[in-house]
Amino acid sequence: MDPMAEMDRWLGVLGSELGLPDEVLAQVKEPLLGLVRDVAHGVARPAGAMSGFLVGLAAGLATPDGDAAKAAQEVLAQIERVDALVARWVPPS
């Protein structure tokens, strides 16, 4: 089975279970996958998943009214912040 197709199927089911609109996932999926990849390769592999979680948590805290569209915009803004941090990251020698 195609891993990306399985991921999309899983995310569709998960998003539905969590009550998230499909358009929110569509808006943040590629940028968030890119963020996790960049952190995993630029910092440390296990940091990728936790970075994705922290971006989502920060976005949720910044949009307490529960507006999914606003939260998606906040996720994108947080991804930009983390991308900039990864670009400046200097691994220990």
Side-chain angles (χ1 to χ4, degrees):
M1 171 166 281
D2 173 21
M4 294 304 280
E6 187 64 7
M7 179 194 69
D8 286 339
R9 190 169 78 85
W10 162 252
L11 292 177
V13 169
L14 180 59
S16 223
E17 181 70 23
L18 297 175
L20 300 173
D22 291 340
E23 57 273 7
V24 169
L25 178 59
Q27 188 177 10
V28 300
K29 182 178 83 171
E30 292 302 323
L32 192 53
L33 287 172
L35 169 82
V36 170
R37 178 199 62 229
D38 293 347
V39 171
H41 293 196
V43 178
R45 188 171 181 180
M50 288 304 299
S51 297
F53 165 75
L54 291 175
V55 162
L57 181 60
L61 291 173
T63 53
D65 61 357
D67 185 323
K70 285 182 189 174
Q73 289 302 310
E74 187 61 32
V75 164
L76 296 173
Q78 296 297 340
I79 287 171
E80 288 182 19
R81 291 178 67 193
V82 176
D83 280 341
L85 183 60
V86 171
R88 296 189 314 266
W89 186 256
V90 178
S93 313

